[in-house]
Amino acid sequence: MSTVVRKRTSGLPLELSSFVGRRREVGEVRRLLSTSRLVTLTGPGGVGKTRLALEVTNAVRRVFPDGVVLVELDQLRDPELVASTVAVAVGLREQAGRATVEMLIDYLASRQLLLVLDNSEHLVEAVAELAGALLQRCPELRILATSREWLGIQGEAAMPVPPLTLPDLRRPLVEQDLAQSEAVALFAERAASIRPGFTVGSHNGAAVAEICQRLDGLPLAIELAAARVRALSEKDILARLLDQPHLLTARLRGVPARQQTLWACIEWSYSLCSPQEQLLWARLSVFAGSFELDAVEDVCAGDGLNGDELTCDGLAGGSLAGDELTGDGLTGNGLIGDDDVLYTVASLMDKSILVAEQHGDVMRYRMLETIREFGVERLQHTGEYAKLRHRHSDWYMRLVEQARADWISPRQADWFTRLDREHSNFQAALDHCTTEPGELESGLRILIALFHFYWWGRGWTREGRLWLSRALDRPGPAAVAGDVDGGRATLVVRANALLTDATLALGAGDMDGGRQRIEDARAILDTVPDPAIEAFICWAAGHVAEYSGDLPTSITIFEQGLDVLPPGQHLTLRLDILVSYSIAAGLIGDTDRANACHAEVMRISEPTGERFHRSYALWTFGLYVMQQGDHRRAAALQEESVRLRRDLHDVTGAGWSLESLAWAESAFGEPERVATLLGTADRLWEIMGRPLRAYQHLYPYHEECERKTQERLGDKRFRDAFESGRAMDLDEAIAFALDEQPVQEPVAAESPRVLTRREWEIAELIAEGLTNREVAARLVISVRTAESHAEHILTKLGFSSRVQIATWVAEQRTKPAPG
């Protein structure tokens, strides 16, 4: 038996590196230990369970007069040796004729002791049995365990250990974001111990943040990456990490073999899974981001992956049939029955391979990226990776096409929400479809079906056009308009994709690109007559005239489009044309046509609970009413359109409604409010990359509103109000437009001057950039004492990183020194 056992009754092992972050987690574990006699820290390998447990024991050791005993079980393989290993740890030896468990109970029954059982996952049943027996008969005993999965004992408190906090890469990084990120703080701390003077700032913050994001905030992975600063720059580490996932290999004396590399750490978890769990782990690696159970059931379940009979009803799962999965790292017969999916998913959650996320009343699952990459590697060994990716893209194609078919319904907002959650999976599906032979048509169908949900509704024009360009301009038979061998259906799909791109191009101000796509679609229509394609061409061509300010011509073209559509069919396209038609009719003052278009849109959409086109109808009718001179009624219509867009989070529509509300209110409202509304819309146009100037039929209203408001306010007041609007997010902008009072956040009180004289002295040294070891050398104290003081400073000030301490010290230096 080679298990490493340490007994400490007056202190725990001296850690050679400082503990970073985890203030909230340490506090929560301490609270749980005060109310529960068994606390289990769960999470995947490398997330920092052991280090967190050690830090907790350092914090609570004085509470246990009989000490703290750490038992490291990672090298133990025989479950029958668990009890004797614990006995050795507490200082006992085997006695002839006495059961080890009874001997332990006798010893621990009267002692106030904390027993730390580290790395219990591979011995979970034996550890659970022992822990249960001890807790029943040793009333003052507390147990802190670390494991992939909880022990399952009555009264157990299980706490998942999350990755370290990460900066938000979706917005420009600022110094404060870096300072508040635990992951960045850990990287900086470890890198500074390798390369003295290393700091994270504007010169390298983006690269370090992306490294930490790439590694999912896993402490083990971050520490291995930071160790590379000895030979590589931060940008080099990031580049190599992106290209070589096996880069992060460290050879450290005294570190368990399973922690020598991130890959070995994950292999450790993988080897402990059952064959069915390993199989599902591998198959789940085709998902990107998070996913829901219905997708798992259709993509991953069944007798294998040989057949093509995927079924999908959008919200419920079907089954698959096919080959057995075999090969390196995968065992079993490839069977995952439909009834086994939920059980296996739950089991992978218990083992911290999957993480559950609650989205309203929907449960979603995800893998950390490093764990997913491991699954991909295993799946590639079997030769089944391409088949799984095909299943994945086919599932999401069917899902979005069902959403499109269900557009005119009360479920429209729900579909927006569902598809928002699947953005990463659609990106993965499109990547597959645009790179693999024979998959292009599926990709085009996804792109077409996502038009209202993503490319227009969410304002993701740039992304939509990027994917459409990759698909439509890709060389090959499917990219040739006259390819009759592709069949009528293929050509119709291509024509719809061309017109989808044309509409997005025109909306983005690319008139030449839009016209070319329309002409390419006309060439297909000459080969394959289709009334829906003809009507779609009329809608796009009508936009060319409308956006150029030629409203009479656009009206004629829109009427042609409506005339060719069969009655009662293609209702979504009919609504699209009616909305555009009503704008043109209203702006030229054609009362009859404007009223007729508005009434027709409301007749189709209102009874069904459809909101998207109804909100556009209210917007366009508001423009007509404004043009007629009734500005207050126009404002009321625009506010109603804003309310409908709120649940949909329709960014494009919200931009138009907020902009038009400013136009209407400029005739009677407060000029500061008008300027603020213009700012909110301007920010949305910027986000979407849509130049308002491209819409010549509407841009004059913007110019007039801006000119009048600026004259009333003056340059400075106008700019201040305008920038105030630009600073709002969509929810804040909508609340402002509807005159809803925001909830005032309490103003945080100034950090109290609570540090002792010694803590202030150490805080100043930290502000100079010294590590704990350097602080200890400067003050002639132990490293452990320096670490303890640093942790106390973080706790007292409510901070999570040394960068925050440095910032705080700089602020306090203008005030009298504490103490």
Side-chain angles (χ1 to χ4, degrees), residues 350-419:
D350 290 341
K351 293 174 172 57
S352 301
I353 305 306
L354 287 179
V355 177
E357 299 175 337
Q358 188 79 28
H359 292 259
D361 58 352
V362 175
M363 187 68 72
R364 291 179 67 82
Y365 310 92
R366 67 177 177 86
M367 290 178 169
L368 295 179
E369 182 63 18
T370 43
I371 291 176
R372 191 192 69 82
E373 288 178 349
F374 183 90
V376 168
E377 183 179 85
R378 290 298 181 268
L379 198 59
Q380 287 173 334
H381 280 312
T382 72
E384 302 290 347
Y385 185 57
K387 294 180 182 179
L388 263 296
R389 292 199 71 190
H390 169 78
R391 296 295 184 188
H392 175 273
S393 61
D394 202 34
W395 157 259
Y396 283 101
M397 178 190 71
R398 294 170 185 268
L399 179 71
V400 71
E401 288 193 332
Q402 182 184 350
R404 185 189 185 202
D406 202 27
W407 176 259
I408 303 176
S409 77
R411 294 173 295 278
Q412 190 180 76
D414 295 334
W415 278 117
F416 265 99
T417 302
R418 170 72 194 264
L419 298 186

Side-chain angles (χ1 to χ4, degrees), residues 424-447:
S424 296
N425 280 301
F426 281 119
Q427 290 174 324
L430 288 169
D431 179 70
H432 172 70
C433 292
T434 55
T435 56
E436 293 298 317
E439 301 286 350
L440 189 58
E441 184 174 332
S442 295
L444 292 175
R445 288 168 63 180
I446 292 173
L447 287 163

Side-chain angles (χ1 to χ4, degrees), residues 549-658:
D550 186 355
L551 299 179
T553 299
S554 69
I555 288 174
T556 300
I557 298 173
F558 290 142
E559 286 179 336
Q560 293 173 354
L562 292 172
D563 288 342
V564 300
L565 280 178
Q569 298 182 30
H570 308 290
L571 290 183
T572 300
L573 180 56
R574 182 178 293 277
L575 289 172
D576 287 331
I577 299 173
L578 283 169
V579 166
S580 300
Y581 185 10
S582 67
I583 296 175
L587 292 180
I588 66 171
D590 190 332
T591 302
D592 291 340
R593 283 173 169 167
N595 282 327
C597 286
H598 179 73
E600 180 69 3
V601 173
M602 300 302 283
R603 182 191 67 80
I604 296 172
S605 63
E606 201 166 24
T608 64
E610 192 274 346
R611 301 184 193 183
F612 184 89
H613 284 93
R614 185 154 44 112
S615 66
Y616 271 96
L618 290 167
W619 167 63
T620 59
F621 200 63
L623 292 175
Y624 163 66
V625 170
M626 182 186 70
Q627 198 272 342
Q628 295 296 307
D630 191 347
H631 291 86
R632 291 187 182 276
R633 186 186 177 205
L637 287 166
Q638 297 302 350
E639 287 180 357
E640 185 59 28
S641 74
V642 168
R643 288 189 183 91
L644 285 176
R645 299 188 198 277
R646 168 180 268 160
D647 289 342
L648 300 179
H649 266 239
D650 172 15
V651 179
T652 299
W656 282 120
S657 293
L658 293 168

